[in-house]
Amino acid sequence: MKIGFVGLGNMGGPMAGNLLASGHELKLFDLVDAAIAAVDDQAAVASAADAARDVDVFVSMLPAGKHVRALYLDEGGVLDVVAQQTLLIDCSTIDPQSAKDVAAAAAHRGIEMLDAPVSGGTAGAQAGTLTFIVGGSEAALERARPLLEVMGANIFHAGVNGAGQTAKVCNNMLLAIHMAGTAEALALGVASGLDPGVLSEIMKQSSGGNWSLNVYNPYPGVMDGVPASRGYQGGFLVDLMAKDLGLALQTARESGSSVPLGALSESLFSLHKNSNEAGHLDFSSIQWLYQPDLKP
Ligand code: NAD
């Protein structure tokens, strides 16, 4: 297939690289030349509009909703130049309303679009094992499936346009809540004289067991191979979790939902980010907020 790909950062770069390696013909664009060069200089084009012309599929992987809106909706943007039969796939994590608005504008011109945010991080992007959470029509998803299977290992159809973003927002809000809760319980136990490893084993086998505790333990030294055991380097950054919690609160406002635990988590992670300069650490470093004595 001929594929246009815009946004070649930490995620988009390796995703585009996997598409190239599987034999597809790509047209690449990023605002940063070095990001294109890191994938393949030969495939570079001069603008996002150039990447969108004369392709079967157009993929974007940008930081936030405002970038996605501008890319597709601005005058001379993607929707103004793309052919009607081109399938549009936005893999960025953005607010569901922006995803719905852009897809509606595309549909108005007879163009199919999917929101397909991912989980799995940069390691998953490199290994081609991402999880795609897709919003849009079944037919559009079937058109996209062969490409998504090159970049990912799991593909979920969440529902109509915007549903992929909504599902991703719900998941990451819950992730923040159980990570903060896990760190809080471990801090309580340690402050009261328990060993964090012993307490973790007890809770794992009891009703407190959850993903953050069981496979991503936030307490340094309890579990091998997790960010807590390497100074919280790598993993899923506090900056990205803070962004996703902002999206959760925005989504709650727009749907008239109450998310008291989500709101509290957003405050906890932003307090942690600011007071511990933790934006570039893994999100399990929230343990430091409860136990500043753990900081180096
Ligand atoms: P990044 O900042 O590394 O990459 C974004 C890229 O987009 C940059 O290279 C930037 O130059 C480019 N860009 C921005 N505006 C552009 C424009 N108008 N035209 C062309 N290029 C433009 O970000 P990332 O880590 O690759 O994340 C991308 C998206 O994936 C975000 O929405 C993020 O929330 C989501 N995400 C990231 C991770 C992760 O672990 N990094 C995991 C899951 C989801």
Side-chain angles (χ1 to χ4, degrees), residues 113-187:
M113 181 154 193
L114 295 171
D115 46 295
V118 303
S119 72
T122 52
Q126 273 150 17
T129 56
L130 291 170
T131 293
F132 286 92
I133 309 167
V134 181
S137 76
E138 190 80 53
L141 171 55
E142 289 318 309
R143 284 177 70 193
R145 192 177 290 280
L147 294 187
L148 301 185
E149 283 174 345
V150 170
M151 299 183 282
N154 300 299
I155 300 164
F156 292 109
H157 188 202
V160 297
N161 286 111
Q165 299 294 353
T166 304
K168 162 112 186 165
V169 154
C170 294
N171 180 70
N172 282 20
M173 185 182 81
L174 179 58
L175 172 61
I177 292 167
H178 62 62
M179 180 56 81
T182 298
E184 189 169 304
L186 287 169

Side-chain angles (χ1 to χ4, degrees), residues 54-141:
D54 187 28
V55 289
D56 303 303
V57 178
F58 177 82
V59 184
S60 51
M61 191 49 161
L62 300 181
K66 65 180 181 196
H67 307 103
V68 173
R69 283 178 172 273
L71 175 74
Y72 287 93
L73 302 179
D74 276 4
E75 209 175 314
V78 169
L79 291 190
D80 279 348
V81 302
V82 74
Q84 219 176 33
Q85 63 273 18
T86 299
L87 173 65
L88 307 175
I89 309 175
D90 179 45
C91 296
S92 325
T93 298
I94 65 172
D95 58 292
Q97 192 57 51
S98 290
K100 287 179 203 166
D101 291 347
V102 177
H108 189 65
R109 296 165 191 235
I111 303 164
E112 285 196 296
M113 181 154 193
L114 295 171
D115 46 295
V118 303
S119 72
T122 52
Q126 273 150 17
T129 56
L130 291 170
T131 293
F132 286 92
I133 309 167
V134 181
S137 76
E138 190 80 53
L141 171 55

Side-chain angles (χ1 to χ4, degrees), residues 7-76:
L8 303 163
N10 293 321
M11 297 294 288
M15 288 164 71
N18 284 332
L19 290 173
L20 269 173
S22 70
H24 295 288
E25 188 183 326
L26 267 82
K27 294 209 266 176
L28 303 175
F29 180 70
D30 192 288
L31 295 177
V32 176
D33 288 342
I36 307 178
V39 183
D40 182 5
D41 247 345
Q42 306 296 314
V45 294
S47 68
D50 283 347
R53 284 192 191 95
D54 187 28
V55 289
D56 303 303
V57 178
F58 177 82
V59 184
S60 51
M61 191 49 161
L62 300 181
K66 65 180 181 196
H67 307 103
V68 173
R69 283 178 172 273
L71 175 74
Y72 287 93
L73 302 179
D74 276 4
E75 209 175 314

